[in-house]
């Protein structure tokens, strides 16, 4: 294993925090909420965006694709460009990019400026997420790290619940530009909060793309990354097409459909919070069990997808199991490569973004070619593969110990 990535130990960093490390973790959780809400807000605003910018809804939908593309590029290359910066300064920088993105999208006079704004949000997402696990490991001591990761992912889970309905509501109330502008004052407030509660975190070793992929020489890490990729690929090959499945196969009206999706989102938030309490002692069981149970649910949906009550119950359970997956694999990474979290985090974010895009794309092709059952079969197969690989990826060390 390589040398530590910084001169301070996590405990020393935590003790230097202004106030308590948990204030810093909560502050970063707000940032994840704003980032994820910003990333997916266009989903519910495609029509007014397309109308005002004189583009097609398909072109407006590329606002999500371009943010994902720039997130991948930044996760691989961005932090090596900022390798000399204190990690506190890097977080402040990515928050500043988020604010500029909000301003660019809000006042975009044309499609080009709109897409530049969306590219900026991708830079902020990829840069921050690739650093996030390493930063948490420097803020919080070992036994509390799974809870800290769960808190951070809680911001993501909450955003996934409300981003689309909030965007739709705000779009109707103050227009799509007003909806995006909300990001700006929240981002400024978050920036001020970060300046108050985040401690200095001196940069460690330079991280290059070569070093990131070099981590794959660690067999356990490589298997775990493959399991992570299959888990996200399987999840999004199915979940991307839940709405047409619920409308066509289950026969739900729009109000019932919205309630089911809301229940799925709330269950995901609960699952994200709950998993933080069990990961310390049961990490291997969780990384195997989550995709394994989701594969079973996919199969059950194939059999009972025509029954509204059964489908609703299965999808709530799906949400409860799906959202904790990144918490589990981030915690796993802190045990397998504790001294290479920045490099590992960058590679993980790139693979997850790839998996989401690839899974959704292949699922869509299958959905159009062979109907709703085919992406569900694909999802079940990929999730089963993830569970099987996870059995080989257990960290060598036991439960997290205090530093």
């Amino acid at each position: 294993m390589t040398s530590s990535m910084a001169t301070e130990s996590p405990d020393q960093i935590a003790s230097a925090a202004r106030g308590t490390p948990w204030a810093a973790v909560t502050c970063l959780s707000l940032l994840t909420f704003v980032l994820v809400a910003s990333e997916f807000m266009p989903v519910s605003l495609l029509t007014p965006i397309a109308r005002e910018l004189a583009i097609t809804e398909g072109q407006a939908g590329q606002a999500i694709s371009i943010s994902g593309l720039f997130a991948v590029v930044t996760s691989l290359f961005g932090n090596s460009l900022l390798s000399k910066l204190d990690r506190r300064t890097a977080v402040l920088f990515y928050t500043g990019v988020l604010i500029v993105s909000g301003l660019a999208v809000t006042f975009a006079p044309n499609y080009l400026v709109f897409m530049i704004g969306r590219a900026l949000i991708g830079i902020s997402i990829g840069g921050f997420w690739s650093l996030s696990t390493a930063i948490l490991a420097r803020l919080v001591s070992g036994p509390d790290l799974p809870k800290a990761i769960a808190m951070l992912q809680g911001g993501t889970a909450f955003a996934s619940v409300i981003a689309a309905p909030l965007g739709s509501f705000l779009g109707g109330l103050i227009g799509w530009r007003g909806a995006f502008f909300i990001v700006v004052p929240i981002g400024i407030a978050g920036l001020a909060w970060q300046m108050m509660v985040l401690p200095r975190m001196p940069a460690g070793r330079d991280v290059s793309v070569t070093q990131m992929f070099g981590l794959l020489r660690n067999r356990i890490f490589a298997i775990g990354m493959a399991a992570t990729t299959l888990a996200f690929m399987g999840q999004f090959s199915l979940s991307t097409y839940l709405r047409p499945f619920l409308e066509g196969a289950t026969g739900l009206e729009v109000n019932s459909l919205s309630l089911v999706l809301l229940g799925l989102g709330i269950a995901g938030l609960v699952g994200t919070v709950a998993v933080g309490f069990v990961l310390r002692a049961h990490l291997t069981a969780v990384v195997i069990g989550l995709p394994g149970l989701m594969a079973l649910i996919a199969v059950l949906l194939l059999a009972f997808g025509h029954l509204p009550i059964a489908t609703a119950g299965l999808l709530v359970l799906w949400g409860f199991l799906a959202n904790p997956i990144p918490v589990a694999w981030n915690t796993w990474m802190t045990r397998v490569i504790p001294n290479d979290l920045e490099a590992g985090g960058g590679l993980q974010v790139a693979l997850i973004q790839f998996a989401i895009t690839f899974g959704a794309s292949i699922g869509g092709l299958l959905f159009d070619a062979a109907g709703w059952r085919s992406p569900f079969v694909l999802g079940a197969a990929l999730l089963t593969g993830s569970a099987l690989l996870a059995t080989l990826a257990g960290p060598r060390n036991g439960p997290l110990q205090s530093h």
Side-chain angles (χ1 to χ4, degrees), residues 266-312:
I266 292 173
L269 181 58
V270 173
T272 301
V273 173
V275 78
F277 294 97
V278 300
L279 283 176
R280 181 179 175 187
H282 304 290
L283 175 59
T284 300
V286 171
V287 295
I288 296 170
L290 291 178
L293 290 172
M294 289 172 67
L296 176 60
I297 290 172
V299 173
L300 291 174
L301 286 170
L302 287 168
F304 302 106
H306 61 290
L307 301 175
I309 300 299
T311 298

Side-chain angles (χ1 to χ4, degrees), residues 228-244:
T228 305
T229 302
L230 289 182
F232 278 90
M233 205 176 287
Q235 176 186 343
F236 282 88
S237 68
L238 186 156
S239 62
T240 306
Y241 305 98
L242 282 178
R243 177 158 186 161

Side-chain angles (χ1 to χ4, degrees), residues 4 6-13 138 200-202:
S4 176
T7 55
E8 289 95 338
S9 71
D11 280 347
Q12 289 171 324
I13 291 287
R138 297 173 73 176
R200 290 185 63 256
M201 291 175 280

Side-chain angles (χ1 to χ4, degrees), residues 20 97 139 157 168 214 239 245 266 282 321 353:
T20 169
V97 172
L139 287 172
S168 180
S239 62
F245 157 70
I266 292 173
H282 304 290
L321 297 169
Q353 290 286 342

Side-chain angles (χ1 to χ4, degrees), residues 216-365:
L216 296 176
R217 289 193 293 267
N218 178 330
R219 177 177 172 274
I220 297 296
F221 180 74
I223 293 172
M225 286 296 96
T228 305
T229 302
L230 289 182
F232 278 90
M233 205 176 287
Q235 176 186 343
F236 282 88
S237 68
L238 186 156
S239 62
T240 306
Y241 305 98
L242 282 178
R243 177 158 186 161
F245 157 70
L246 290 170
E247 289 176 330
T250 312
L252 295 185
E253 299 295 332
V254 65
N255 289 337
S256 299
L257 184 151
S258 298
L259 282 175
V260 170
L261 295 179
L262 178 62
L264 184 153
I266 292 173
L269 181 58
V270 173
T272 301
V273 173
V275 78
F277 294 97
V278 300
L279 283 176
R280 181 179 175 187
H282 304 290
L283 175 59
T284 300
V286 171
V287 295
I288 296 170
L290 291 178
L293 290 172
M294 289 172 67
L296 176 60
I297 290 172
V299 173
L300 291 174
L301 286 170
L302 287 168
F304 302 106
H306 61 290
L307 301 175
I309 300 299
T311 298
L314 288 169
L315 288 180
V316 167
L317 184 56
W318 172 278
F320 182 83
L321 297 169
N323 277 44
I325 285 179
V327 183
W329 282 111
N330 282 343
T331 302
W332 169 88
M333 191 166 61
T334 66
R335 300 191 189 182
V336 174
I337 53 166
N339 298 319
D340 293 288
L341 291 176
E342 286 195 13
L347 181 60
Q348 184 192 51
V349 170
L351 288 173
I352 288 173
Q353 290 286 342
F354 163 77
I356 291 172
T357 303
F358 186 80
S361 299
I362 298 299
L365 292 173

